[in-house]
């Protein structure tokens, strides 16, 4: 039986909860700048997401990725910069996506409360309830005190609806809650109990440890109601949170401007003007003195960054060039990162004195590994201090095998319908939307085909087929991909019986041919967004001195390539159930890592993390409390913790095991487990802590504290260790 661990992570930072609680604050964002800041995505994990798209927040959730954890139920938006002791106002524009179901119940906004340092839950929940917009609120009576009311019957889809919520907390029958929809009061109750508290009166709260914040976004708590494959999309805009009196006009989302700028993806292999970013932090643009140019990015300080969305590096980029100017000696850096300003670092480009703010030079860096695929690109400027340098443009260099041969070829197809010419398959536009005029279309005859002819014989490596995505994905299900020689003889053939919804990579491993053909095995229209053909670069995958083109066992696993479904993967050779996942991967596949990072103070102001082991079998778990290995960098001005200590507790609060310094308990086994899952490598003599233990199914809690009463940022990680008994 497979061992499966499902970790549901709930995290509470007990340090600094009273920050700014007594001030009247306003947090407001229209999202026209393409950024979530000061909000952040919370209660969300892939494939669900919370992002800014076209000047508003898009929250997307799908049942496909649900693994039983709490974070897989949501796609929410949080903010730590504002909290509420007594009274609050919440303004928002909500737009329900077309895919949102009308037969389910789920939360779409929350008044969320922390109570007495040990308890947190929602006090008020805006729900979508079987097609109606509804409100549920409660008090110290918990679920027994729930008050439910419908605010808007048959809530519309694809329509902006403005909502304002006002509340006053009370446990002495002096509370109030009111909701307005599109300017009309639809619910109002006074002299009531609302929220969780110790001793609240009409205007005084006795415990500063109880406070409230808001959440926007989906929380799909009724997991028993999920439908296989379903998706739910909700858009949020014009969000304002205010914690003072008389806030209606302050948070009113009505008539907020929608002057967002849609950011086009940049071609990284053609000179990219730095000022054409999709987002930035801290920089400015200015007229440039560089020859033939308009503007450059300036006023660059250490830690600033600029972002470019959905940059397609294709089959590989090997180098980066940038045009810079500075009178300062530095050295300074341009860090090339993926996904976020602190995401994967793929290269660091050195910038030194060029002779002046307007003395322009080109600087370069070669990558150790090729950069492939589509990524949000972040250029992060580092080196210490302010006013580091100016940046005018940058460009990436393609790898030798990143040349799409099809772009210089000729495309033909069996028939043409609806204007879907064959040339669309080799126009460089990979959009699968018919409206973008880049999708081919044949008639619905038997065996419709598309062929791309090259100028000369080529050793072909990968063929990539990009499908139509706005509809009709099932049309590309039963089909054959072949490579033909100059006499139209088949030299490579591979048939498929799977629906292609994502780009399909077909590896021919060096077969020499003149054309590539895609042909349906049934009667249907053939529609392809793009067909790319890349040259084969001969390699020696198993290091045995023989190139793959002549080696009959390229991965040296004892299974001849002719019988090996995974000829370049020594750990796989069969797929018995024909599901696209190798037999060995299916045995070992299991979630392995969930983590959280936070700032911990001294004493009892600790970080608490919880997880649940589900199923029937015990599992081996590695738990790490990491401090020094996080590095010397600061996090929002806070240093990393020097000596973190962790304890593991069962559901009844009993101590199972504790650890202060990781080497004090079975250091060799901990090191081996760390290698297996790729966790932080704990250094010799490090004060970080670690626990390696076997746990039965159940709920567990990890508490991280400071062993030497020194505050700092620390990280708690929980890993399931596969194949370790």
């Amino acid at each position: 039986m497979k061992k499966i661990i499902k970790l549901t992570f709930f995290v509470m930072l007990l340090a600094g909860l009273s920050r700014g609680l007594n001030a009247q604050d306003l947090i407001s964002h229209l999202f026209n700048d393409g950024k979530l800041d000061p909000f952040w995505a919370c209660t969300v994990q892939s494939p669900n997401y919370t992002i800014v798209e076209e000047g508003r927040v898009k929250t997307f959730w799908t049942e496909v990725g649900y693994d039983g954890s709490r974070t897989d139920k949501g796609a929410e938006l949080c903010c730590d910069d504002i909290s509420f002791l007594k009274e609050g106002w919440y303004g928002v524009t909500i737009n329900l996506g077309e895919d949102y179901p009308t037969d389910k119940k789920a939360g779409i906004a929350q008044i969320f409360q922390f109570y007495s340092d040990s308890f947190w839950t929602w006090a008020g929940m805006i729900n979508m309830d079987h097609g109606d917009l509804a409100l549920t609120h409660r008090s110290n009576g918990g679920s027994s005190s729930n008050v439910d009311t419908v605010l808007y019957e048959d809530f519309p889809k694809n329509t902006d609806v403005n909502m304002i919520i006002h509340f006053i907390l009370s446990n002495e029958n002096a509370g109030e809650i009111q909701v307005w929809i599109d300017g009309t009061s639809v619910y109002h109750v006074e002299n009531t109990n609302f929220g969780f508290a110790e001793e609240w009166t009409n205007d005084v709260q006795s415990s500063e440890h109880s406070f409230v914040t808001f959440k926007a976004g989906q929380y799909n708590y009724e997991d028993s109601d999920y439908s296989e494959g379903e998706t739910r999309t909700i858009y949020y805009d014009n969000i304002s949170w205010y914690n003072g009196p008389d806030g209606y006009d302050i948070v009113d989302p009505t008539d907020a401007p929608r002057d967002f700028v849609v950011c086009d993806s940049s071609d990284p292999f053609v000179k990219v003007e730095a000022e054409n970013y999709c987002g930035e932090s801290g920089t400015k643009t200015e007229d440039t003195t560089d020859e033939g140019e308009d503007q450059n990015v300036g006023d660059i300080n250490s830690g600033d960054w600029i972002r470019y969305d959905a940059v397609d590096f294709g089959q590989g980029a090997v180098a980066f060039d940038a045009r810079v100017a500075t009178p300062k000696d530095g050295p300074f850096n341009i860090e090339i990162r993926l996904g976020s300003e602190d995401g994967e670092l793929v290269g660091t480009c050195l910038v030194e004195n060029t002779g002046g703010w307007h003395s322009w030079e080109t600087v370069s860096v070669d990558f150790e590994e090729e950069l492939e695929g589509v990524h949000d690109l972040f250029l992060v400027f580092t080196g210490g201090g302010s006013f580091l340098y100016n940046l005018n443009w940058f460009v990436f260099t393609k790898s030798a095998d990143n040349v799409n041969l099809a772009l210089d070829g000729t495309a033909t197809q069996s028939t043409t319908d609806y204007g879907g010419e064959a040339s669309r398959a080799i126009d460089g536009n990979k959009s699968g939307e018919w409206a973008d005029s880049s999708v081919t279309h044949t008639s619905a005859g038997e065996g419709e085909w598309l062929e791309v002819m090259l100028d000369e014989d080529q050793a072909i490596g990968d063929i990539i087929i990009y499908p139509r995505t706005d509809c009709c994905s099932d049309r590309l299900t039963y089909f054959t991909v072949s490579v033909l020689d100059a006499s139209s003889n088949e030299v490579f053939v591979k048939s498929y019986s799977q629906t292609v919804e994502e780009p399909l990579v077909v590896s021919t491993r060096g077969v020499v041919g003149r054309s590539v053909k895609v042909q349906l095995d049934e009667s249907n229209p053939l529609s392809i967004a793009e067909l790319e053909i890349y040259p084969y670069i001969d390699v020696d995958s198993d290091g045995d001195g023989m190139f793959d083109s002549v080696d009959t066992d390229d991965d040296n696993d004892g299974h001849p390539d002719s019988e090996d479904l995974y000829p370049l993967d020594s750990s796989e050779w069969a797929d018995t159930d024909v599901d696209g996942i190798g037999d060995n991967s299916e045995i070992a596949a299991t979630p392995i890592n969930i983590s959280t990072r936070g700032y911990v103070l001294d004493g009892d102001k600790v970080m608490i993390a919880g997880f649940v082991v589900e199923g029937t079998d015990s599992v081996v778990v590695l738990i790490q409390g990491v401090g020094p290995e996080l590095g010397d960098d600061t996090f929002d001005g806070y240093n990393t913790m020097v000596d973190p200590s962790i304890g593991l507790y069962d559901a009844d609060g009993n101590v199972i095991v504790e650890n202060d310094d990781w080497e004090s308990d079975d250091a060799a086994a901990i090191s081996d487990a760390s290698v297996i899952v790729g966790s932080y490598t704990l250094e010799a003599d490090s004060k970080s802590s670690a626990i390696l233990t076997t746990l039965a199914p159940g709920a567990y809690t990890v508490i991280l504290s400071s062993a030497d009463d020194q505050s700092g940022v620390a990280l708690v990680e929980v890993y399931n260790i596969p194949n370790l008994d």
Side-chain angles (χ1 to χ4, degrees):
M1 178 180 289
K2 301 177 185 178
K3 295 181 179 180
I4 299 176
I5 181 172
K6 294 186 178 180
L7 305 179
T8 303
F9 232 64
F10 48 91
V11 179
M12 186 172 87
L13 293 177
L14 300 184
L17 291 184
S18 61
R19 181 185 60 159
L21 294 183
N22 295 314
Q24 292 181 11
D25 294 318
L26 170 68
I27 296 294
S28 185
H29 198 358
L30 306 182
F31 305 102
N32 293 336
D33 60 358
K35 303 176 186 177
L36 280 174
D37 296 340
F39 302 95
W40 54 280
C42 59
T43 321
V44 62
Q45 63 186 34
S46 180
N48 311 322
Y49 56 80
T50 300
I51 61 172
V52 177
E53 182 178 272
E54 297 185 353
R56 59 182 179 175
V57 175
K58 178 182 180 181
T59 67
F60 172 84
W61 178 88
T62 175
E63 179 273 340
V64 172
Y66 180 59
D67 64 5
S69 69
R70 179 181 182 276
T71 51
D72 239 1
K73 294 182 178 182
E76 294 186 298
L77 194 69
C78 297
C79 182
D80 295 331
D81 293 343
I82 187 170
S83 298
F84 308 80
L85 280 178
K86 182 67 179 176
E87 181 175 14
W89 295 81
Y90 183 170
V92 63
T93 301
I94 298 175
N95 190 304
L96 214 59
E98 186 62 40
D99 62 344
Y100 200 89
T102 57
D103 60 345
K104 307 292 174 64
K105 184 175 182 179
I108 67 170
Q110 298 183 50
I111 301 172
F112 201 80
Q113 186 165 5
F114 291 81
Y115 168 51
S116 297
D117 290 350
S118 61
F119 177 73
W120 57 100
T121 188
W122 57 272
M125 177 87 74
I126 300 294
N127 294 294
M128 284 306 306
D129 189 352
H130 296 81
D132 299 334
L133 187 72
L135 167 69
T136 302
H137 61 86
R138 57 186 179 176
S139 61
N140 269 3
S143 60
S144 63
S145 68
N146 283 6
V147 177
D148 297 287
T149 186
V150 173
L151 304 174
Y152 193 136
E153 292 183 351
D154 298 323
F155 196 78
K157 296 182 179 181
N158 299 320
T159 303
D160 284 348
V161 177
N162 296 314
M163 180 173 66
I164 296 175
I165 303 172
H166 173 230
F167 72 83
I168 297 176
L169 301 168
S170 176
N171 198 34
E172 296 290 333
N173 293 309
E176 180 178 359
I177 185 165
Q178 187 168 8
V179 181
W180 292 262
I181 300 292
D182 287 336
T184 300
S185 178
V186 295
Y187 181 75
H188 187 197
V189 60
E190 298 178 284
N191 301 318
T192 188
N193 288 336
F194 176 57
F196 299 82
E198 294 170 347
E199 298 176 7
W200 289 343
T201 64
N202 189 33
D203 57 1
V204 176
Q205 180 189 27
S206 64
S207 173
E208 66 178 9
H209 300 291
S210 297
F211 67 92
V212 172
T213 187
F214 287 129
K215 285 187 177 183
Q218 306 185 49
Y219 185 53
N220 301 302
Y221 48 81
E222 295 284 0
D223 51 358
S224 61
D225 258 357
Y226 294 169
S227 299
E228 183 177 357
E230 73 165 300
T231 64
R232 305 180 188 184
T233 304
I234 306 178
Y235 300 91
Y236 298 82
D237 201 0
N238 314 319
I239 296 178
S240 295
W241 298 347
Y242 175 62
N243 63 0
D246 303 322
Y248 185 96
D249 291 334
I250 296 174
V251 303
D252 187 1
T254 307
D255 299 326
R258 296 268 299 157
D259 55 350
F260 66 92
V261 177
V262 176
C263 186
D264 294 327
S265 177
S266 299
D267 184 344
F269 304 115
V270 178
K271 186 169 65 175
V272 179
E273 295 296 334
E275 68 271 15
N276 293 334
Y277 51 72
C278 298
E280 60 81 34
S281 176
T283 67
K284 295 180 180 179
T285 57
E286 60 187 15
D287 292 339
T288 189
T289 57
D290 201 7
E291 183 177 355
E293 308 296 344
D294 295 324
Q295 288 192 313
N296 61 253
V297 173
D299 196 14
I300 294 174
N301 302 313
S302 185
D304 292 349
W305 52 262
I306 50 181
R307 185 191 82 240
Y308 305 83
D309 292 344
V311 178
D312 188 354
F313 296 98
Q315 297 296 97
V318 296
F320 170 86
D321 295 345
R323 188 73 166 168
V324 298
T326 181
K328 295 187 175 182
D329 292 333
F332 306 122
N333 297 313
I334 303 174
E335 296 181 355
I336 300 105
R337 293 185 176 271
L338 306 179
S340 67
E341 64 268 27
D342 57 358
E344 179 186 353
L345 177 65
V346 296
T348 301
C349 187
L350 181 65
V351 179
E352 297 181 298
N353 195 329
T354 65
W357 290 115
H358 307 293
S359 297
W360 296 93
E361 294 183 5
T362 302
V363 294
S364 305
V365 63
D366 294 329
F367 301 147
E368 293 183 1
E369 297 182 1
E370 292 185 8
L371 173 55
E372 300 180 347
V374 179
H375 304 275
D376 288 346
L377 170 68
F378 283 75
L379 301 184
V380 182
F381 312 119
T382 63
S386 57
F387 303 105
L388 308 185
Y389 48 83
N390 293 329
L391 173 64
N392 189 16
W393 53 259
F394 63 89
V395 67
F396 289 81
T397 302
K398 285 185 178 182
S399 64
D401 57 349
N402 192 21
V403 179
N404 179 10
L405 302 173
L407 293 176
D408 295 323
T410 303
T412 57
Q413 60 188 10
S414 52
T415 58
T416 299
D417 213 347
Y418 300 102
E421 301 289 343
S423 59
R424 292 183 174 187
I426 56 172
D427 62 359
N429 186 347
K430 291 177 281 192
S431 171
E433 300 285 330
W434 178 260
D436 291 338
S437 301
S438 184
V439 177
T440 68
H441 200 302
T442 69
S443 61
E446 180 77 23
E448 299 285 353
W449 55 264
L450 180 139
E451 184 175 4
V452 175
M453 181 72 68
L454 305 177
D455 291 339
E456 58 184 4
D457 288 347
Q458 295 280 356
I460 296 173
D462 288 343
I463 302 166
I464 305 180
I465 301 171
Y466 293 82
R468 182 172 178 175
T469 56
D470 57 353
C471 82
C472 326
S473 59
D474 59 332
R475 294 179 182 174
L476 191 59
T477 299
Y478 299 97
F479 63 99
T480 298
V481 179
S482 56
V483 177
L484 311 178
D485 64 16
S487 300
S488 297
N489 299 310
E490 292 181 337
V491 293
F492 171 88
V493 179
K494 188 167 185 178
S495 296
Y496 292 86
S497 58
Q498 65 189 63
T499 300
V500 180
E501 297 179 337
E502 300 290 338
L504 173 68
V505 179
V506 182
S507 295
T508 73
R509 302 179 59 244
V511 66
V512 177
R514 180 66 64 89
S515 67
V516 173
K517 188 174 185 179
V518 179
Q519 184 165 12
L520 296 179
D521 298 331
E522 57 182 357
S523 296
N524 249 332
L526 175 61
S527 290
I528 292 177
E530 193 76 9
L531 192 149
E532 297 180 335
I533 306 170
Y534 289 93
Y536 179 70
I537 306 299
D538 212 352
V539 295
D540 178 12
S541 297
D542 56 8
D544 63 356
M546 299 176 63
F547 283 115
D548 289 356
S549 59
V550 295
D551 194 343
T552 58
D553 185 7
D554 288 340
D555 55 10
N556 202 27
D557 62 357
H559 297 268
D561 293 341
S562 59
E563 302 173 5
D564 192 342
L565 291 180
Y566 303 89
L568 300 181
D569 184 352
S570 61
S571 67
E572 293 287 1
W573 54 86
D575 179 14
T576 304
D577 56 6
V578 198
D579 64 353
I581 302 174
D583 291 351
N584 292 330
S585 294
E586 288 190 313
I587 294 173
T590 180
I592 61 171
N593 176 23
I594 298 180
S595 63
T596 187
R597 187 185 73 199
Y599 183 65
V600 181
L601 293 178
D602 57 0
D604 61 353
K605 300 178 176 63
V606 299
M607 180 161 59
I608 300 175
F611 63 93
V612 177
V613 178
E614 296 187 350
T616 59
D617 290 347
S618 296
V619 296
V620 180
V621 174
L622 173 65
I623 304 169
Q624 294 191 158
V626 183
E629 286 76 10
L630 297 179
D632 295 327
D633 293 341
T634 61
F635 298 87
D636 294 329
Y638 300 113
N639 293 320
T640 54
M641 177 170 286
V642 175
D643 192 0
S645 173
I646 57 174
L648 176 63
Y649 299 80
D650 63 19
D652 296 323
N654 300 312
V655 178
I656 299 174
V657 63
E658 296 176 312
N659 178 263
D660 184 5
D661 299 333
W662 75 278
E663 290 179 296
S664 63
D665 291 330
D666 204 357
I670 289 172
S671 295
D672 291 342
S674 177
V675 171
I676 290 174
V677 297
S679 67
Y680 268 93
T681 300
L682 302 183
E683 302 169 354
D685 300 323
S686 167
K687 293 291 186 179
S688 289
S689 52
I691 295 170
L692 183 65
T693 187
T694 300
L695 296 177
Y700 298 91
T701 300
V702 180
I703 296 180
L704 185 148
S705 60
S706 174
D708 60 357
D709 283 337
Q710 299 296 314
S711 60
V713 175
L715 177 77
V716 172
E717 297 183 306
V718 179
Y719 297 86
N720 175 32
I721 311 299
N723 304 324
L724 185 64
D725 296 315

